[in-house]
């Protein structure tokens, strides 16, 4: 049961921050949109503050729990970089990522977000299945 506390706490913090951003600024907390606006020089302070908060999250975690969260990446660096580029391309094509569509879009019952999240899940299942076949 204790294995579920950290993901549950992380989900609660992510959901709370997304709701606060929506209530305070009327903005969707889609990370791809925030990064895109930051790279275009729009709303620099707001977008930079959100991203800095994301980066400092593990530091806060370490202060609270006394250790950094463990992360295990089993893919090689070329595969990881290619996957990141594909995710970035896909989020621009889909006008959002899993955080924007999956958290706030689904909560708002947005048809576009429902379709996007279903596509994300299908692509993830297909990719994991194909990648698992080559191990």
């Amino acid at each position: 049961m204790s294995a579920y506390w950290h993901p549950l706490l992380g989900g609660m913090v992510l959901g709370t921050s997304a709701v606060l951003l929506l209530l305070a600024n009327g903005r969707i907390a889609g990370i791809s949109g925030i990064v895109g606006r930051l790279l275009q020089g729009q709303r620099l302070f707001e977008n930079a503050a959100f991203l800095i908060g994301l980066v400092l999250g593990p530091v806060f975690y370490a202060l609270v729990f006394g250790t950094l969260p463990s992360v295990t990446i089993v893919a090689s660096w070329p595969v990881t970089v290619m996957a990141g580029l594909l995710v970035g391309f896909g989020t621009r094509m889909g006008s959002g990522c899993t955080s924007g569509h999956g958290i706030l879009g689904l909560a708002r019952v947005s048809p576009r977000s429902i379709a996007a999240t279903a596509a994300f899940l299908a692509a993830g299942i297909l990719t994991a299945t194909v990648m698992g076949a080559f191990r």
Side-chain angles (χ1 to χ4, degrees), residues 48-63:
F50 196 92
L51 289 179
I52 289 169
L54 286 177
V55 171
L56 293 179
V59 174
F60 179 73
Y61 181 95
L63 291 174

Side-chain angles (χ1 to χ4, degrees):
M1 184 65 184
S2 64
Y4 298 108
W5 286 114
H6 294 166
L8 178 63
L9 180 62
M12 291 170 60
V13 170
L14 183 59
T16 301
S17 64
V19 168
L20 288 175
L21 183 64
L22 182 64
L23 292 175
N25 291 350
R27 307 287 307 183
I28 299 295
I31 305 306
S32 60
I34 290 172
V35 171
R37 285 190 298 275
L38 185 63
L39 293 176
Q40 293 171 354
Q42 300 173 359
R43 299 176 175 234
L44 286 175
F45 178 75
E46 172 187 328
N47 293 317
F50 196 92
L51 289 179
I52 289 169
L54 286 177
V55 171
L56 293 179
V59 174
F60 179 73
Y61 181 95
L63 291 174
V64 171
F65 295 105
T67 182
L68 285 171
S70 64
V71 176
T72 303
I73 300 174
V74 295
S76 65
W77 279 107
V79 169
T80 303
V81 169
M82 180 59 76
L85 291 172
L86 288 172
V87 167
F89 179 74
T91 58
R92 297 308 288 177
M93 294 284 293
S95 299
C97 59
T98 52
S99 59
H101 284 301
I103 296 172
L104 288 173
L106 289 181
R108 295 171 42 221
V109 196
S110 163
R112 183 175 78 161
S113 293
I114 293 170
T117 304
F120 296 154
L121 287 173
I125 290 169
L126 178 65
T127 302
T129 302
V130 169
M131 295 302 289
F134 291 106
R135 286 190 184 189

